[in-house]
Amino acid sequence: MGKEYHIAVLPGDGTGPEVVAEGVKVLDMAAGKNGFSLKYTYYDLGGDKYLETGEILPDDVKEKLSKADAIFLGAIGHPDVQPGILEKGILLNLRFSLDQYINLRPVKLYDGVDTPVKDKGPADIDFVVVRENTEGLYAGAGGCLKQGTEDEVAVQESINTRKGVERCIRYAFECCRKRDRAKKLTLCGKTNVLTFAFDLWERTFYEVGKEYPDIETDYAHVDATCMWMVKNPEWFDVIVTDNMFGDIITDLGAMIQGGMGVAAGGNINPEGVSMFEPIGGSAPKYTGQGIINPIAAIMAGQLMLETLGEDQAAAQVEEAAAKVLREDIKDLGAGKMGYSTSEVGDLIAGYINDKL
Ligand code: IPM
Ligand code: MN
């Protein structure tokens, strides 16, 4: 018997369950072909559960999630729930309490996928964003005074700790070394205005950089980073940045790699439990129609396999998904793929099966 991994599955809201089902299908095929298995425990969390019971993330569930080998998440977000409740209560709560201090978001344009960036192709768009995932503006520091009056004051502070910044930067250098491509790490910040926070980031970046003489270091302000991501995406290999900037530039990244249908991310605690998710939301208007693209969820599964150390299985998932993108699906949009959600999962699982 090969290794068995315990995976906690949070299908979540909207189309989350549909894409998660395809992720599981593909993961099982890859596991079977590589002599290990995945044991899934499903947890019913999200908007529907909250509306029914008032429960967001019960402590006993959190406790169980903290004991899994990894967490596989579909989508969180419900049109009838006020914004912030589920995002903060489930997604951010898990990222913070499991200390998933890295949000790893590959931006890779596969062959056969359209990018809105003129004259750029797969050779130009292939980089990784390492986003700090537990601090910054997301830390929840601040408050308000005299709310609702004309004297209202609202303060939202960005928390940056030396430890938090350093571990993120160190991870990014390691990631750059492991990728072994251009070996260039770009710090994305705003040192010309945010002179406290990004001074800490910049000093730490160059200090840690001394330990990585094989990695070229570069710096770009966040606004310029957005410009270069469109104008010269080939300049990037690995980008490291804070939580808020990372959130913003990875939506741009998702668009230049072909859209939310393909963009995946990992919330990683290198010493603990990590959580993998498609970047796109719950897409409630497509729920239950079987027309949403599951590739982002499947690629989230691929990242999960990589993080579990199952590199061969991960490579097979990526290869099979790349083949489907290259040969089978011409348009990635929901309802435009020419295949149903589950047919796309079947195709990818089928290619993994054929290969071995
Ligand atoms: C993301 C999302 C989340 C974030 C939201 C839903 C809280 O936009 O994963 O990028 O801002 O981190
Ligand atoms: Mn986001």
Side-chain angles (χ1 to χ4, degrees), residues 55-221:
E55 270 181 353
I56 299 180
L57 178 59
D59 285 345
D60 63 313
V61 172
K62 208 156 135 178
E63 172 70 17
K64 284 180 188 142
L65 294 178
S66 74
K67 298 207 170 97
D69 290 314
I71 303 169
F72 190 47
L73 173 79
I76 299 290
H78 196 291
D80 302 334
V81 180
Q82 199 193 320
I85 294 181
L86 302 169
E87 292 86 344
K88 280 186 164 177
I90 301 176
L91 197 59
L92 299 184
N93 189 343
L94 284 172
R95 286 178 184 171
F96 290 0
S97 58
L98 298 176
D99 202 19
Q100 293 164 340
Y101 60 87
I102 300 297
N103 196 321
L104 187 69
R105 298 189 161 178
V107 177
K108 182 168 178 173
L109 178 67
Y110 286 93
D111 245 349
V113 177
D114 273 343
T115 174
V117 184
K118 196 166 153 258
D119 298 333
K120 298 292 174 187
D124 306 303
I125 301 177
D126 185 356
F127 60 93
V128 174
V129 177
V130 175
R131 162 185 174 189
E132 201 291 323
N133 210 30
T134 53
E135 302 191 339
L137 281 167
Y138 280 67
C144 52
L145 274 175
K146 303 182 184 174
Q147 200 175 25
T149 74
E150 61 183 17
D151 296 322
E152 181 161 358
V153 180
V155 177
Q156 194 100 41
E157 288 164 314
S158 175
I159 304 286
N160 299 263
T161 68
R162 169 73 199 208
K163 271 191 197 155
V165 169
E166 185 169 334
R167 66 184 179 173
C168 176
I169 285 174
R170 202 171 284 284
Y171 182 94
F173 273 107
E174 290 292 334
C175 169
C176 198
R177 189 176 265 175
K178 189 165 171 230
R179 256 170 80 78
D180 199 16
R181 295 175 65 89
K183 291 205 160 182
K184 177 175 162 191
L185 179 62
T186 305
L187 171 64
C188 161
K190 191 74 188 175
T191 52
N192 53 347
V193 176
L194 306 180
T195 49
F196 306 126
F198 280 98
D199 175 60
L200 171 57
W201 275 85
E202 195 180 33
R203 270 185 293 111
T204 310
F205 181 65
Y206 288 113
E207 249 174 71
V208 174
K210 288 190 194 133
E211 295 169 37
Y212 296 86
D214 52 322
I215 309 289
E216 183 194 338
T217 49
D218 195 9
Y219 172 82
H221 294 319

